[in-house]
């Protein structure tokens, strides 16, 4: 089986948690896309739910799957959010944002009554940091924000971190759905993820970090050994 088969397996497990009339938060990425496809099948079989997508891409996929989309400003309730991840550690701390949707993903995941992470088992790590941490920043005077990010990282003891402005497919820089830049910060090992999140989040110009600390309620991992739950 491939990593994509395991992503689908985790998504099919998560779709079992959906109940009629729920307001769902739909994540972004290839694992979340499997969840959207499985949810679409269920709605075609008669299940009624509504959903808030975390990206334009997911909104398109959900609409194509026949899922009723509600605009984020039309609800104050998310019953269940389901999303993928780039890394997850044993404390359910995550690095997200590989697809550039971290801000909307974090808004929805934080607001949800229950946030379930789905992933293939390769995303499980002992310590976060091998995956470059995405940090969404405002475009205004962004070199000043980049400098402040480097200084904050140095103050926390990260030696010469590789901080790069993410390149876009159609231009010099990637733009998030909200029109912001993304910095990818290769830190190798993140000791205190909560402290790092606080330090970066305190910088004017930083919109959000890809560290999801204390947000995930349950993680569903699929791999050769079957389904593993961290809950
Ligand atoms: C998008 C994300 C994704 O959840 C993360 O990148 C995992 O993607 P995939 O499911 O394709 O492996 O955070 O911003």
């Amino acid at each position: 089986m491939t990593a994509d088969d395991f992503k689908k397996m985790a998504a099919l497990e998560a779709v079992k948690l959906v109940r009629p009339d729920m307001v769902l938060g739909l994540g972004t990425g290839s694992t979340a896309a499997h969840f959207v496809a499985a949810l679409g099948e269920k709605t075609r079989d008669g299940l009624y739910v509504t959903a808030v997508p975390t990206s334009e891409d997911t909104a398109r996929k959900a609409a194509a799957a026949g899922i009723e989309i509600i605009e984020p400003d039309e609800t104050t309730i998310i019953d269940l959010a389901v999303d993928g991840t780039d890394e997850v550690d044993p404390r359910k701390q995550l690095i997200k944002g590989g697809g550039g949707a971290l801000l909307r993903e974090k808004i929805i995941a934080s607001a949800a009554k229950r946030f379930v992470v789905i992933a293939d088992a390769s995303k499980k790590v002992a310590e976060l940091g091998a995956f470059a941490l995405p940090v969404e920043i405002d475009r205004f005077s962004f070199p000043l924000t980049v400098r402040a990010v480097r200084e904050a990282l140095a103050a926390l003891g990260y030696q010469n971190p590789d901080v790069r402005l993410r390149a876009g497919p159609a231009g010099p820089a990637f733009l998030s759905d909200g029109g912001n830049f993304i910095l990818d910060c290769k830190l190798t090992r993140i000791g205190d993820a909560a402290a790092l999140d606080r330090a970066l989040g305190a910088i004017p110009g930083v919109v959000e970090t890809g560290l999801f600390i204390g947000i995930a309620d349950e993680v569903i991992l699929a791999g050769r050994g079957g389904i593993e739950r961290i809950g």
Side-chain angles (χ1 to χ4, degrees):
M1 286 177 88
T2 65
D4 196 58
D5 294 327
F6 293 132
K7 290 178 183 194
K8 185 172 179 181
M9 199 192 287
L12 292 178
E13 198 62 26
V15 93
K16 294 178 189 166
L17 303 172
V18 177
R19 300 283 174 268
D21 301 319
M22 273 186 164
V23 180
L24 299 170
L26 302 178
T28 295
S30 55
T31 317
H34 282 301
F35 180 80
V36 169
L39 185 66
E41 271 185 39
K42 280 205 155 206
T43 58
R44 286 193 293 281
D45 289 345
L47 175 79
Y48 179 76
V49 292
T50 53
V52 179
T54 54
S55 64
E56 308 296 339
D57 183 50
T58 296
R60 278 190 292 275
K61 289 186 168 107
I67 298 165
E68 185 173 327
I69 304 294
I70 48 172
E71 294 301 320
D73 49 10
E74 283 174 3
T75 185
T76 55
I77 305 242
I78 305 284
D79 294 300
L80 171 69
V82 179
D83 202 348
T85 193
D86 296 301
E87 284 187 347
V88 52
D89 76 4
R91 297 163 65 193
K92 293 181 284 181
Q93 302 186 125
L94 317 175
I95 287 183
K96 282 185 52 54
L102 59 143
L103 173 61
R104 294 183 184 189
E105 291 172 338
K106 207 167 185 176
I107 291 171
I108 297 299
S110 303
K113 290 182 195 164
R114 191 168 178 206
F115 174 42
V116 174
V117 179
I118 51 176
D120 72 275
S122 73
K123 303 290 183 71
K124 186 178 165 190
V125 296
E127 188 177 13
L128 299 177
F131 191 90
L133 173 67
V135 177
E136 185 157 349
I137 62 167
D138 195 279
R139 282 184 284 164
F140 175 78
S141 273
F142 76 92
L144 296 177
T145 306
V146 175
R147 193 189 77 191
V149 166
R150 287 185 197 281
E151 286 171 357
L153 292 173
L156 286 170
Y158 294 97
Q159 305 294 329
N160 301 316
D162 182 355
V163 176
R164 293 182 190 206
L165 188 66
R166 188 178 296 183
F174 175 90
L175 283 184
S176 70
D177 283 347
N180 300 312
F181 287 156
I182 306 272
L183 298 180
D184 290 306
C185 308
K186 185 90 174 155
L187 303 174
T188 311
R189 295 181 67 192
I190 297 176
D192 187 340
L196 176 60
D197 191 37
R198 278 195 301 275
L200 293 177
I203 298 169
V206 168
V207 177
E208 196 46 88
T209 83
L211 287 166
F212 284 46
I213 311 296
I215 302 177
D217 294 297
E218 183 179 6
V219 179
I220 300 175
L221 295 164
R224 293 196 187 287
I227 296 286
E228 180 193 354
R229 295 182 119 90
I230 312 175

